[in-house]
Amino acid sequence: GKHSLHLDRKTTDVKAVPFTLGMGIKFELHITISGKKIDVSEIPELSIPDDWVRDKLELNFYKSEHGGGEVENVKYDKKSRTAVITFLKPG
């Protein structure tokens, strides 16, 4: 709806309109599998904090429907756009 804002002795009329938020980021990864570790390369540069990238990688590789398992550690290197995901159990 319409609203009036009063700032610094001035009044401005504004109108609120709905908008759609993007529901996440999709990207393609290249992986090399070796026992308990997976080497991930060509991670795209994303405008999110490094911790979030690590969390997204961990959640993705934790999912059993993707052949994943319980993740022990994620080492992410933003400069080289690579990561190493270490699992608790080989598989």
Side-chain angles (χ1 to χ4, degrees):
K2 293 183 180 182
H3 302 277
S4 292
L5 295 177
H6 305 284
L7 300 170
D8 296 331
R9 299 182 195 146
K10 295 182 182 179
T11 301
T12 297
D13 293 326
V14 295
K15 181 179 178 184
V17 294
F19 65 95
T20 304
L21 290 175
M23 295 304 293
I25 301 168
K26 290 186 178 184
F27 52 88
E28 182 177 323
L29 303 172
H30 298 268
I31 62 171
T32 304
I33 301 171
S34 172
K36 282 182 63 174
K37 293 184 179 185
I38 294 179
D39 295 327
V40 182
S41 61
E42 299 184 38
I43 299 170
E45 292 182 32
L46 303 171
S47 59
I48 59 176
D50 291 359
D51 289 348
W52 292 12
V53 174
R54 276 191 286 279
D55 290 346
K56 284 186 81 53
L57 289 166
E58 181 174 348
L59 289 171
N60 186 64
F61 287 98
Y62 186 83
K63 296 177 182 176
S64 59
E65 63 265 21
H66 294 150
E70 194 168 352
V71 174
E72 180 179 330
N73 189 26
V74 176
K75 289 184 182 178
Y76 169 62
D77 182 8
K78 185 175 187 168
K79 286 184 182 180
S80 66
R81 296 176 38 218
T82 61
V84 176
I85 290 94
T86 306
F87 296 91
L88 285 177
K89 299 177 184 176

